[in-house]
């Protein structure tokens, strides 16, 4: 179950390239090619194995003018879709040094 | 955050056995460096895009078999080579034998940051990247000219694909047809209709430069289709001159013929499915995508639905792309 506390990382067989205004994503083990729109491509950039989805939404809110609740629900829906498509995986949160 | 409809997945199959087990008696003995027992002392230099490519360690009959297979592309003036390949002998017992009837020969690959290992029927090969660029070796037991030349060409196709990506070019699984002074590149996996279309075009008077693999060079003033000797059933009697690319078309068989222009990202996605070898290499896929992004900026990419026995020119003309 993915929620705003989840930390996601791109799977190792995933490569992507921004080709404005879209992004091409290739999952080599599938193999599968997926096209993403510009905001979805930006979300992929921000999925780095360190940020929680709440932090990711905060970063997006700085870049895009959209109501926070809308961003949260869109990001959660998209992250779940990427997870179901085996593009991303849930990783343990990175603990900061004491 | 909607995503656009996905193009179909790559058509190439995936290996169902561990690497090498289909073809090798003992996959653990796969060579880990570019060394081996040469067959002979002959050297052949082949002038293809990304080259010239030298093959050393050949016997006279092997050199002759390769020169015949790639006629029109052989260097005869002692030109230096950009890429060296050692051709080495290996005992037939190293390979599994089986009835090839009805069997589609494949070339399996494993990738690392500095090397690619390839295995096929009677063939092992290795590409290595060092500070001086890529070098290679192929080990084969094939003792008949046809089998030997086929084994070496399977390796050579992969080598050219990797080398082109280092030279501002891409290799596409495609047919190229020269029509009214420009090249139209029709991409697609086996069964997409490349050879059928190439035959139709040839019958109507167009020049078919290949029905299987096409090199596309990315120049500041546009994309250029470069001749290669890697063909399926059709081969031009003489290597055609490089031609400016008018359009790149992703082929699909359909009841009726129609063309639809693809946006830049959809174009990259369509071409990536038709860029053999590199599209499966996780270490070099980023470089391939960069080349394809340049490619779609230089030439229009279309999805071409092709009805049976139909030439594509009317559908392309409807998109302003053919006379």
């Amino acid at each position: 179950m993915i929620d705003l506390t989840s930390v996601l990382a791109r799977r190792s067989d995933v490569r992507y390239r921004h080709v404005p205004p879209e992004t091409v994503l290739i999952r080599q083990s599938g193999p599968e090619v997926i096209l993403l729109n510009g905001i979805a491509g930006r979300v992929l950039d921000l999925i780095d194995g360190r940020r929680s989805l709440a932090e990711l939404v905060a970063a997006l809110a700085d870049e895009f003018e959209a109501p926070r609740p809308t961003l949260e629900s869109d990001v959660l829906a998209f992250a779940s879709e990427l997870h179901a498509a085996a593009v991303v995986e849930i990783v343990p949160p990175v603990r900061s040094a004491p | 955050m909607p995503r656009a409809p996905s193009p179909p997945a790559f058509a190439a199959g995936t290996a169902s056995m561990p690497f090498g087990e289909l073809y090798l008696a003992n996959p653990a003995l796969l060579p880990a460096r570019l060394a081996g027992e040469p067959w002979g002392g002959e050297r052949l230099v082949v002038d293809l895009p990304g080259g010239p490519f030298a093959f050393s360690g050949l016997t006279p009959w092997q050199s002759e078999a390769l020169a015949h297979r790639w006629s029109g592309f052989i260097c005869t003036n002692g030109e230096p080579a950009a890429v060296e390949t050692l051709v080495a002998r290996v005992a037939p017992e190293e390979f599994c034998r089986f009835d090839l009837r009805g069997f589609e020969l494949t070339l399996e690959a494993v990738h690392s940051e500095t090397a690619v290992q390839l295995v096929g029927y009677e063939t092992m090969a290795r590409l290595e990247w060092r500070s001086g660029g890529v070098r290679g070796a192929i080990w084969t037991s094939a003792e008949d000219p046809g089998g030997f030349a086929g084994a070496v060409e399977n390796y050579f196709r992969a080598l050219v694909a990797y080398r082109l990506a280092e030279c501002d070019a891409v290799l596409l699984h495609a047919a190229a047809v020269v029509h009214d002074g420009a090249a139209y590149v029709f991409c697609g996996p086996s069964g997409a209709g490349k050879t059928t279309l190439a035959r139709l075009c040839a019958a109507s008077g167009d020049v078919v430069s290949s029905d299987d693999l096409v090199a596309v060079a990315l120049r500041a003033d546009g994309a250029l289709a470069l001749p290669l000797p890697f063909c399926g059933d059709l081969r031009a009697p003489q290597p055609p001159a490089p031609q400016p690319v008018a359009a790149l078309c992703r082929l699909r068989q359909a009841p009726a013929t129609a063309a639809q222009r693809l946006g830049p990202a959809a174009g990259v996605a369509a071409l990536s499915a038709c860029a053999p070898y590199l599209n499966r290499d996780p270490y070099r896929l980023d470089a391939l995508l960069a080349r394809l992004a340049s490619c779609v900026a230089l030439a229009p990419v279309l999805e071409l639905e092709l009805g049976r026995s139909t030439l594509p020119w009317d559908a392309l003309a409807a998109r302003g792309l053919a006379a």
Side-chain angles (χ1 to χ4, degrees), chain A residues 12 15-17 19-24 26-37 39-40 43 60 71 74-75 78 81 85, chain B residues 1-10 12 14 263-266 268-269 272-273 278-283 285-286 289-290 293 296:
Chain A
S12 60
R15 299 288 183 278
Y16 67 99
R17 183 174 183 86
V19 186
E22 296 175 300
T23 295
V24 181
I26 295 181
R27 194 171 63 84
Q28 286 186 300
S29 62
E32 188 181 15
V33 184
I34 298 169
L35 298 186
L36 303 173
N37 68 21
I39 300 177
V43 170
L60 277 183
L71 275 179
D74 281 359
V75 165
F78 180 54
E81 196 178 345
Chain B
M1 288 173 202
R3 51 184 180 150
S6 162
F10 298 133
T14 52
V268 169
S272 71
L278 276 84
N279 66 7
R280 296 212 165 243
D281 185 336
Y283 297 91
L285 182 58
D286 288 335
L289 292 177
V296 302

Side-chain angles (χ1 to χ4, degrees), chain A residues 80-97:
Chain A
S80 298
E81 196 178 345
L82 289 177
H83 187 252
V87 171
V88 300
E89 57 192 349
I90 301 171
V91 297
V94 177
R95 292 176 186 275
S96 54

Side-chain angles (χ1 to χ4, degrees), chain A residues 3-88:
Chain A
D3 59 32
L4 288 172
T5 67
S6 301
V7 177
L8 303 182
R10 296 185 295 272
R11 294 180 77 105
S12 60
D13 66 326
V14 167
R15 299 288 183 278
Y16 67 99
R17 183 174 183 86
H18 299 306
V19 186
E22 296 175 300
T23 295
V24 181
L25 183 152
I26 295 181
R27 194 171 63 84
Q28 286 186 300
S29 62
E32 188 181 15
V33 184
I34 298 169
L35 298 186
L36 303 173
N37 68 21
I39 300 177
R42 180 62 184 139
V43 170
L44 208 59
D45 284 336
L46 294 169
I47 291 177
D48 59 1
R50 302 182 66 84
R51 288 182 177 86
S52 68
L53 289 183
E55 291 168 315
L56 190 155
V57 168
L60 277 183
D62 291 339
E63 298 177 29
F64 298 96
E65 288 183 10
R68 187 77 165 234
T70 304
L71 275 179
E72 286 181 355
S73 67
D74 281 359
V75 165
L76 281 174
F78 180 54
S80 298
E81 196 178 345
L82 289 177
H83 187 252
V87 171
V88 300

Side-chain angles (χ1 to χ4, degrees), chain B residues 184-187 192 197 248-254 256-262 301-307 310-317 319:
Chain B
Y184 294 81
V185 179
F186 301 102
C187 311
L197 176 58
L248 299 144
C249 304
R250 174 75 158 92
L251 279 183
R252 293 196 190 290
Q253 295 195 24
T257 297
Q260 180 188 352
R261 241 174 137 138
L262 298 177
V301 183
L302 298 96
E303 180 164 286
L304 178 63
E305 294 184 332
L306 201 60
T310 312
L311 287 167
W313 312 124
D314 287 345
L316 292 173
R319 300 293 171 193

Side-chain angles (χ1 to χ4, degrees), chain B:
Chain B
M1 288 173 202
R3 51 184 180 150
S6 162
F10 298 133
T14 52
S16 57
M17 300 174 73
F19 177 67
E21 281 195 8
L22 178 61
Y23 296 113
L24 300 180
N26 186 353
L29 296 181
L30 200 64
R33 59 194 181 93
L34 304 179
E37 178 193 353
W39 283 80
E42 297 281 317
R43 187 169 189 268
L44 184 74
V45 181
V46 189
D47 188 15
L48 296 195
F53 298 88
F55 292 85
S56 61
L58 301 168
T59 64
W61 71 261
Q62 289 174 332
S63 181
E64 193 176 316
L66 296 180
H68 175 71
R69 190 173 185 105
W70 303 324
S71 64
F73 295 89
I74 304 302
C75 297
T76 53
N77 298 323
E79 290 93 332
V83 182
E84 296 281 345
T85 292
L86 168 69
V87 182
R89 177 196 295 271
V90 65
E93 301 79 55
E94 300 290 342
F95 296 104
C96 301
R97 302 268 161 190
F98 45 86
D99 188 349
L100 292 176
R101 284 175 295 183
F103 185 83
E104 187 181 351
L105 288 175
T106 56
L107 197 61
E108 298 177 6
V110 287
H111 313 94
S112 71
E113 202 166 329
T114 57
V116 175
Q117 289 178 299
L118 303 162
V119 172
Y121 191 73
E122 294 188 320
T123 309
M124 296 181 280
R126 181 179 177 87
L127 299 175
E128 253 184 42
W129 282 263
R130 301 178 187 171
S131 55
V134 64
R135 298 171 65 88
I138 173 170
W139 297 263
T140 181
S141 62
E143 298 218 39
D144 64 292
F148 174 80
V152 176
E153 180 166 310
N154 279 344
Y155 155 82
F156 196 16
R157 289 173 173 223
L159 171 60
V160 168
Y162 280 105
R163 182 66 184 153
L164 287 176
E166 297 174 350
C167 301
D168 273 339
V170 290
L171 184 73
L172 294 174
H173 201 192
V177 176
V178 181
H179 178 76
D180 281 344
Y184 294 81
V185 179
F186 301 102
C187 311
S190 299
K194 297 187 299 296
T195 297
T196 304
L197 176 58
R199 281 188 198 285
L200 278 172
C201 292
S204 69
D206 292 322
V207 174
V208 176
S209 58
S210 176
D211 65 341
D212 197 17
L213 289 174
V214 175
V216 177
L218 311 172
R219 306 281 164 82
D221 56 347
L224 210 55
L226 306 177
L228 291 174
F230 304 144
C231 301
D233 297 337
L234 292 179
R235 179 163 184 188
Q238 299 289 329
Q243 297 287 344
V245 173
L248 299 144
C249 304
R250 174 75 158 92
L251 279 183
R252 293 196 190 290
Q253 295 195 24
T257 297
Q260 180 188 352
R261 241 174 137 138
L262 298 177
V268 169
L271 296 181
S272 71
C274 303
Y277 309 109
L278 276 84
N279 66 7
R280 296 212 165 243
D281 185 336
Y283 297 91
R284 292 150 192 102
L285 182 58
D286 288 335
L288 172 67
L289 292 177
R291 296 285 178 276
L292 294 178
S294 300
C295 189
V296 302
L298 292 171
V301 183
L302 298 96
E303 180 164 286
L304 178 63
E305 294 184 332
L306 201 60
R308 186 180 289 268
S309 303
T310 312
L311 287 167
W313 312 124
D314 287 345
L316 292 173
R319 300 293 171 193
L321 289 169

